[in-house]
Amino acid sequence: MGNVCGGSSQAVDQHGKPLNKTPAPAETKTEAAKPAAAAPAAAAAPAAAAAAPAAPAAAAGVAPAAADKKLKVYIIFYSTYGHIEKLAREYKAALESTGDVDAQLFRVAETLPADALEKMHAPPKPDDIPVMETSKLPDADAFVFGFPTRFGMMAGQMKTFFDTTGALWQAGALHGKPASMFTSTATQGGGQETTLWTAVTQLAHHGMIYVPTGYAAGAAMFGVQDAKGGSPWGAGTLAGPDGSRQPSEVELEALRVQAKHFAGIAKKLAA
Ligand SMILES: Cc1cc2nc3c(=O)[nH]c(=O)nc-3n(C[C@H](O)[C@H](O)[C@H](O)COP(=O)(O)O)c2cc1C
């Protein structure tokens, strides 16, 4: 019988090793049927009590880094029109400017057919940025996720990517790893905040540590004279109703502050 996350049918521990006792299908089903009456640990993953991460606190986390070892940060994004891609490249540069981070860019797989993308006037994908393979996620010490909004929530392409991480969830492979996020919307009220806070569910279920920016960017966040993206939840840009607006300097400055803040937190967690 498979598990709720679509991973292998073999129950595994935090390190991906098979558990000693694989429950009989009926046993697993029984646990799934009584979440309220189950012990707290089982209730946390009612449909797969035996398959769920057994001891999240002891899971992967950020491996203690040697003083001279750079943190490996994966910046994983989806972008149709290039705004998020531009922010991702800026984020990488800002992370690496700290001297503490080796940042690598990845995009998630496109899920729309070519003819749909053509009708949307979407440009080709950048060929210098590889598509992320789910199995490589545990290699990173920390993550940055970037995605545009779709009706106030993350783009489906990004959600589809997260939907491929069930086996990693089962193994607790991303537990304790820090993550930050950024987004793009067409308009100022179009979902800068909702897109990021609804995405926190993905991090929470994996046990990742969400690192918001708060108001660390100071002046770059407080101005109200000009339209701008970004929020305490993470950096952002406004693409404009026709997609022609490009990230402004104030948006990019807030993004750089976020990147440096995130690098500092990730480094502390790795110490
Ligand atoms: C199906 C669809 C839904 C969208 N929903 C919203 C929305 O709710 N609010 C908004 O401001 N922009 C919305 N947009 C605009 C996109 O967020 C915008 O094109 C994107 O932020 C640009 O980022 P990119 O250049 O990285 O693709 C939507 C676009 C599409 C195609």
Side-chain angles (χ1 to χ4, degrees):
M1 177 179 166
N3 63 70
V4 287
C5 286
S8 74
S9 58
Q10 172 71 62
V12 293
D13 68 10
Q14 295 291 336
H15 308 288
K17 298 220 173 77
L19 291 173
N20 289 336
K21 176 174 176 283
T22 303
E27 188 180 343
T28 304
K29 201 171 178 181
T30 304
E31 288 299 334
K34 53 169 188 176
V62 181
D68 58 343
K69 186 177 172 281
K70 290 189 175 185
L71 283 177
K72 186 184 280 194
V73 178
Y74 286 175
I75 302 169
I76 303 169
F77 71 90
Y78 172 75
S79 185
T80 306
Y81 298 110
H83 296 81
I84 288 289
E85 179 191 328
K86 180 163 187 177
L87 295 188
R89 291 183 191 275
E90 291 278 346
Y91 209 119
K92 173 176 159 63
L95 280 176
E96 291 185 335
S97 75
T98 66
D100 295 325
V101 173
D102 168 23
Q104 296 177 40
L105 289 170
F106 296 94
R107 55 195 172 89
V108 301
E110 181 57 82
T111 58
L112 290 175
D115 61 336
L117 290 168
E118 196 180 329
K119 283 179 189 148
M120 291 169 74
H121 306 290
K125 304 295 183 207
D127 42 15
D128 63 324
I129 300 178
V131 172
M132 186 72 217
E133 289 170 35
T134 310
S135 62
K136 286 188 183 163
L137 285 171
D139 299 344
D141 297 310
F143 300 103
V144 179
F145 298 107
F147 37 84
T149 197
R150 295 289 184 262
F151 308 122
M153 300 177 80
M154 72 166 62
Q157 290 85 347
M158 198 76 201
K159 177 65 166 56
T160 297
F161 172 74
F162 276 109
D163 287 357
T164 69
T165 62
L168 297 180
W169 167 83
Q170 186 181 41
L174 308 182
H175 204 279
K177 293 185 189 263
S180 82
M181 304 188 285
F182 59 89
T183 192
S184 168
T185 66
T187 63
Q188 199 154 20
Q192 287 283 319
E193 295 174 62
T194 59
T195 304
L196 295 185
W197 73 253
T198 52
V200 172
T201 58
Q202 310 293 322
L203 310 188
H205 280 251
H206 274 290
M208 286 190 248
I209 300 169
Y210 168 50
V211 182
T213 321
Y215 283 85
M221 299 186 72
F222 286 112
V224 293
Q225 301 306 314
D226 299 314
K228 65 175 184 309
S231 73
W233 297 85
T237 190
L238 304 177
D242 62 359
S244 64
R245 184 180 180 277
Q246 292 303 304
S248 67
E249 185 47 40
V250 75
E251 290 168 341
L252 293 175
E253 178 53 20
L255 179 99
R256 291 182 204 112
V257 170
Q258 175 177 340
K260 289 170 191 170
H261 171 66
F262 181 62
I265 299 281
K267 193 179 174 194
K268 277 186 204 163
L269 286 169

